[in-house]
Amino acid sequence: MARLDSGVGAGAARRTARVRKITTNGISWRRRAYIAPWMAGHVGMRVRLRYLPHYDGQIEVFSTEERGRHLGSAYLAEAATVEQRRALSSVREKKARQLKADLKAAERLRKARYTAMTTADAPRSRRTVTSSQAEAEIARARGTDLAARALPDLIPPREAPASWVRPVVRPHRPASRQADAGQPDDGRPPGKPDVRDDSGER
């Protein structure tokens, strides 16, 4: 594969925004390690990466101190062998065929078909299902439904952090005896209006 800092690869290459550091295990990108012989003696150096969107087996490493300086190429460590890739491809194809067969069978069962009628009558399904068959299929569907298998009470929620603002719970105040007797809380007898004189006093 050609270098990405020149030629056609330079226009198609993408840059990573995050600055990374060369470690003893190479450079970590997308949870995978990339290594190269030139990294010896550069442990701790901060770098930026460029890569091709359609190929992740090789990345190009650039210095952050000297803008645009290409340090070298790095390659995926512990890449799968040819035999492993072939076996993985076979497993994926088998899984895809099984999913297609399951989808085809589910679509066939989903469609409701009825018998031909010569007179006006209630429609009759061509396939009859027993009660035990219906319960068994419903149970299998519930077993694969993650939402139905969730147990919200199994793991209680964690306590809210102390920095969070919590609602204020006001204590309940019972009604006063004066209010129950029909006397206002301000001490005035019931039925007497609140009269103010010119001085503003009661």
Side-chain angles (χ1 to χ4, degrees):
M1 180 179 177
R3 284 172 47 176
L4 304 183
D5 58 336
S6 62
V8 178
R14 298 181 180 179
R15 299 181 181 181
T16 59
R18 176 183 168 187
V19 176
R20 287 170 169 78
K21 186 181 295 185
I22 299 178
T23 65
T24 55
N25 296 325
I27 300 175
S28 178
W29 181 57
R30 293 181 176 177
R31 299 182 180 181
R32 303 192 298 181
Y34 289 78
I35 58 176
W38 60 265
M39 292 183 182
H42 293 84
V43 175
M45 178 180 291
R46 299 167 65 86
V47 296
R48 291 186 182 275
L49 308 180
R50 293 183 186 178
Y51 65 97
L52 290 176
H54 59 273
Y55 180 69
D56 58 358
Q58 173 186 345
I59 58 176
E60 301 299 325
V61 186
F62 293 81
S63 173
T64 58
E65 299 177 355
E66 301 180 19
R67 186 176 181 84
R69 179 190 171 194
H70 181 250
L71 299 176
S73 303
Y75 303 90
L76 180 63
E78 299 180 357
T81 62
V82 177
E83 291 77 9
Q84 289 175 330
R85 292 198 299 268
R86 290 176 179 174
L88 180 60
S89 178
S90 177
V91 170
R92 290 176 175 175
E93 289 180 359
K94 182 178 179 181
K95 184 178 180 180
R97 289 195 300 267
Q98 183 62 39
L99 290 176
K100 290 180 180 179
D102 294 342
L103 180 60
K104 187 176 181 179
E107 185 67 19
R108 184 172 60 254
L109 293 175
R110 185 186 65 86
K111 293 181 179 180
R113 297 180 180 275
Y114 301 95
T115 58
M117 306 290 291
T118 58
T119 59
D121 197 356
R124 291 182 299 178
S125 177
R126 293 177 58 182
R127 297 188 182 93
T128 56
V129 182
T130 63
S131 177
S132 58
Q133 289 176 338
E135 290 296 334
E137 186 170 348
I138 293 173
R140 287 195 301 268
R142 289 177 178 175
T144 57
D145 187 3
L146 298 180
R149 295 173 60 185
L151 301 176
D153 298 333
L154 182 61
I155 303 177
R158 294 181 298 177
E159 185 68 19
S163 59
W164 288 16
V165 178
R166 303 189 182 189
V168 178
V169 180
R170 300 184 181 276
H172 176 69
R173 296 182 179 179
S176 62
R177 296 180 180 179
Q178 295 177 349
D180 295 340
Q183 184 177 355
D185 293 340
D186 55 2
R188 294 184 290 105
K192 186 177 181 179
D194 186 6
V195 180
R196 296 176 180 267
D197 56 14
D198 296 339
S199 63
E201 299 179 353
R202 293 185 179 179

